[in-house]
């Protein structure tokens, strides 16, 4: 009887040692994902998007970078905020996850805002001066382009202008405007500048074959 008791005690001790050893060997530490440069980044509209450098390591499994999975997309041709999610798991099932917010921005976004403007129709001849207000917005699809919601005293023809440093230009754009409605073409001429909070555009307005030299000066509010 005593021998059996000793054998049973020995077995229980052995099992306890085995369980203790297993508990010590169990991997409960999660891997670590590292995003070079941080979890927020900015990229220019229309430019090739270069994803961040993401690595992953684990204290047991070592380098897990090749096992990192990414979900989410970035549309480089549309301004906005996009979220990329990176995740990884080690052999024991422990996981880590990081999210990266990507801002796709128009380089001319600083020009957006409320403006008051003076429009002179018929520079040097008629000199019909109009004082109005406008909201200028950055293009959501074309980098270094801004949109005048109101141009040439017309409120129904959003005109797109291209910004290059401190100069600005309006490509030929035709709208049906005015009363009575008529095809009207706008195209910038001469020197057009951005000076601090002001934008000056010299342009031709052509209506039914008749061209008038005009000028608009926008002042940011």
């Amino acid at each position: 009887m005593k021998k059996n008791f000793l054998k049973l005690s020995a077995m229980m001790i052995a099992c306890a040692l085995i369980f203790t050893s297993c508990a010590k060997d169990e991997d409960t530490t999660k891997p670590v994902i590292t995003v070079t440069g941080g979890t927020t980044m900015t990229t220019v509209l229309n430019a090739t998007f270069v994803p961040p450098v993401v690595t992953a390591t684990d204290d047991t499994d070592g380098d897990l970078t090749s096992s990192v999975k990414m979900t989410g997309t970035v549309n480089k041709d549309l301004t906005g905020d996009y979220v990329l999610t990176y995740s990884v798991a080690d052999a024991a099932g422990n996981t880590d996850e990081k999210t990266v917010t990507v801002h796709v921005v128009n380089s001319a976004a600083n020009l957006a805002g409320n403006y008051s403007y003076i429009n002179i129709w018929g520079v040097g001849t008629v000199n019909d001066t109009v004082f109005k207000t406008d909201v200028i917005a950055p293009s959501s699809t074309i980098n270094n382009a801004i949109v005048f919601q109101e141009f040439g005293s017309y409120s129904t023809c959003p005109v797109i202008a291209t910004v290059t440093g401190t100069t600005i230009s309006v490509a030929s754009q035709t709208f049906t405007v005015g009363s009575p409605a008529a095809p009207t073409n706008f195209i910038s001429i001469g020197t057009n500048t951005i000076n601090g909070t002001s934008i000056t555009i010299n342009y031709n307005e052509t209506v039914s074959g008749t061209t008038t030299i005009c000028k608009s000066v926008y002042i940011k509010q």
Side-chain angles (χ1 to χ4, degrees), residues 36-145:
T36 301
T39 56
T40 301
M41 62 185 301
T42 299
T43 186
V44 174
L45 179 65
N46 303 141
T48 300
F49 171 63
V50 180
V53 176
V54 177
T55 58
T57 58
D58 183 70
D59 64 344
T60 300
D61 300 335
D63 187 358
L64 292 178
T65 300
S66 61
S67 299
V68 174
K69 296 179 180 179
M70 184 198 77
T71 58
T73 58
V74 174
N75 185 347
K76 69 180 183 62
D77 296 317
L78 182 65
T79 57
D81 297 335
Y82 301 88
V83 176
L84 301 177
T85 301
Y86 294 88
S87 60
V88 72
D90 64 15
N94 303 303
T95 62
D96 190 25
E97 182 177 284
K98 290 287 192 305
T99 59
V100 177
T101 301
V102 181
H103 306 293
V104 179
V105 299
N106 185 328
S107 298
N110 63 298
L111 296 175
N114 297 317
Y115 286 75
S116 62
Y117 76 93
I118 302 170
N119 186 72
I120 304 172
W121 187 81
V123 175
T125 54
V126 180
N127 285 326
D128 180 12
T129 304
V130 178
F131 299 86
K132 304 191 77 173
T133 59
D134 190 19
V135 177
I136 294 178
S139 170
S140 61
T141 57
I142 305 172
N143 191 47
N144 282 317

Side-chain angles (χ1 to χ4, degrees), residues 30 50 77 96 110 124 157 171 186 210-211 216 218:
K30 70 177 185 178
V50 180
D77 296 317
D96 190 25
N110 63 298
C157 52
F186 301 107
T210 300
T211 298
S216 283
Y218 290 77

